[in-house]
Amino acid sequence: MRYLFFCFYLLLICSSNAQELSPQTKLVDFKKIEASIALDTLSKSVIGKITVHFQPKENINAIFLDARGDYKITSNTLKHTTKFEDQKIVISGKFDADQKYEASFSYKVTPKKALYFWGWNEKNTDKNTVNRKQIWTQGQGKYTSHWLPSIDDMNDKIIFDLHIDFDENYTVLSNGLLSKTTTKSNTKTWSYSSSKPISSYLVALVIGKYEHRITSTVNSTVIENYIYPDRKADFESTYRYNKKIFDFLEFEIGIPYPWHTYRQVPVRDFLYAGMENVGCTTFDDDFIVNKNTFEEKNLINISAHELAHQWFGNLITERDSKHHWLHEGFATFYALKAEKHIFGNDYYYFKLYENAELLDRQNGQKNSTPLVSKKANSLTYYQRGAWALVALENLVSAPNFKKIVKEFLTNYATKNVTTDHFLSIVLKHTNKDISDWSKKWLFNNDFPTREALKTLTESDFMRQYLQLAGERTQPLIGKYQYVSKALNFPVNPYLASETVTQLYGETSPEANVLLEKAFKTEHPLVLKTIAETFDKIPAAYESKFRKLLSSDSDSTVEAALYQLWNTFEKHKKTYLELTKDKIGDNNKNIRTAWLALALNTPGFSNEERALFRRELNQYTFPNHPIGLRKFAFQFLAFSDNYTDQSLLNLAEAATHPNWRFNKFCTDTIINLLQDVKYEKRFLHLKQQFPNKVKKLVTTE
Ligand SMILES: [Zn+2]
């Protein structure tokens, strides 16, 4: 049972990308794109000069580069005519087959997507919030040609050399080697080169205020990890095990890291959890964590996943989205292996089990598709993809699997691949019949739950867990002795937590004995499960729940506060007093819940209520992280405290480029419109809303 304020942070890492082979790719081989880029933060525009190096495969009269948006060509080389037409930049001239050419032009564009300006005209709403001014790119699923004329088809791999001019007080990051920097007055130029050809969706540009630390791996690759200057204290917990993950994956994959330097950089308002740009991974700054939050939220999975993409996706690239599992399945598989290396076998099997549950549920809903398909969803590409590789490794043996992967990466380095390329190498390294495997895991509609279960039950722990989970529907009296064992020392947190969830709604003396035993484990995961499970706290346990308010875990505190407030009517004010100084995670999970509870507790701190209202409304402004804004929008609805400005902020947020956030805001608006009182207020404000929201507010 989830308590009222439980918020689920949906982890989806990078989107899939539908691609058709463009005619340009057949006619021309683009070798290199050199770009000098300046950025105007006032008009949110890109001013660029491009030199494109290319070699036609046939005699042709024109080439084109993709250029999506409102491009203006400001000058071009005398030798060729360059014009912007139909979302393309067309360069005309007589180009003979197999000859080398270069052409240059200058342009200006205000990107609608793929390059985002953040915070350059934001007002600071309170002194405790750092206004982050950033520019960053997201190529996958968005098309890099929105800001950099290039080829959107990922089958044309090109060397990108980027020279970026910007204010010297900022850090500017891109792919590959930083070959030089020069400074003229206050403007600095950073020159980066990708050295090997890459697909354009993997080009990155990140600008912001950062500090960084450098580490070197076993094979002497330089890792640069970036952090905000005001979050330096969280560097260690954010990047914990980073070098261990890198060294492990390089060994496990069996091919040295294929790029020059590896950079990891947090960005605000990110569209996904992370993105594997070549040699320059960006990740959502919500994954900057402190030492207390590390246990329940950390960068490890994302860090390992994006690093694995440096081989799977970046070095070898799918021919089209039908083979997207070759990116996401492999990245998810190797991230799981890295986590197993750090957190152990139980963690690994439990994750596999959770993913199998989701995939099996998808079977039940008749939503499954083959893995090798353009129509598969993220769950299938990522989790089923990883499961398919677990099954393959079991079938062909680990040493053979390693040989297969090594040959696959070596043969197709910097090229584009399909599932058949992979399968033909699998066949070379095993005498096992793989037809049953490929049918069940790659080509059948349904996820093979039965096969997955066989793999899971190889683990003693998983057998115990599945047996215990099988008791969920049994009455406590009959299973008491059995489930009680799961709380014995040494505690297995997964088994103990499973027992705690089976106590939901139980009020018998036996249930209390088990709850007592669960508290005694003192394991953070078990205590968190207790806080989240009991929506009516047994009176005898009030003091024990009260102790949870001092937990290091922000989600345990948030849950315990709500359950105590909800259960003990007479002590509501006491619990609010006890937690009035707690803030919580990056999104102020405890503080925002506290404000909503305070506003919903009649008579509590009458003199400060206006301040509480103001504070909660303040968190809706765009200078705050989207996770915090989401809490604020949610709790303002819960406590009925929206100001007009917050409704305007909500309407603006419904057009945010992060689709999960804009969907949440759109849904919130639709829900509020059900209430006549809000409907009137929306109508009153309608003219100030963006068009998307205007359409939701109808005047019937
Ligand atoms: Zn991915």
Side-chain angles (χ1 to χ4, degrees), residues 13-14 305 309 328 382:
I13 311 156
C14 25
H305 180 104
H309 272 311
E328 299 307 343
Y382 289 62

Coordinates of all heavy atoms in Angstrom, one line a residue, residues 13-14 305 309 328 382, ligand 1:
I13 N 15.9 5.8 -19.6 CA 17.1 6.4 -20.0 C 17.2 6.4 -21.5 O 17.1 5.3 -22.2 CB 18.3 5.5 -19.5 CG1 18.1 5.4 -18.0 CG2 19.6 6.2 -19.7 CD1 18.7 4.2 -17.4
C14 N 17.3 7.5 -22.1 CA 17.3 7.8 -23.5 C 16.1 7.1 -24.3 O 15.5 6.1 -23.9 CB 18.6 7.4 -24.2 SG 19.6 6.2 -23.4
H305 N 25.3 2.2 -17.2 CA 24.5 2.1 -18.5 C 25.0 3.0 -19.6 O 25.3 2.6 -20.7 CB 23.0 2.5 -18.1 CG 22.1 2.4 -19.3 ND1 21.2 1.4 -19.5 CD2 21.9 3.2 -20.3 CE1 20.5 1.6 -20.6 NE2 20.9 2.7 -21.1
H309 N 27.1 2.1 -23.2 CA 26.7 2.6 -24.5 C 27.9 3.2 -25.3 O 27.8 3.3 -26.5 CB 25.8 3.8 -24.4 CG 24.3 3.5 -24.3 ND1 23.7 2.6 -25.2 CD2 23.3 3.9 -23.5 CE1 22.4 2.5 -24.9 NE2 22.2 3.2 -23.9
E328 N 20.2 -0.7 -26.2 CA 19.6 -0.6 -24.9 C 19.7 -1.9 -24.1 O 19.9 -1.9 -22.9 CB 18.2 -0.1 -24.9 CG 18.0 1.3 -25.5 CD 18.9 2.3 -24.9 OE1 19.4 2.1 -23.7 OE2 19.1 3.4 -25.5
Y382 N 15.0 -2.4 -23.3 CA 16.0 -2.4 -22.2 C 16.0 -3.7 -21.4 O 17.0 -4.4 -21.3 CB 15.6 -1.2 -21.2 CG 15.8 0.2 -21.7 CD1 15.2 0.7 -22.8 CD2 16.7 1.0 -21.0 CE1 15.4 2.0 -23.2 CE2 16.9 2.4 -21.5 CZ 16.2 2.8 -22.6 OH 16.4 4.1 -23.0
Ligands
ZN1 ZN 20.4 3.7 -22.9

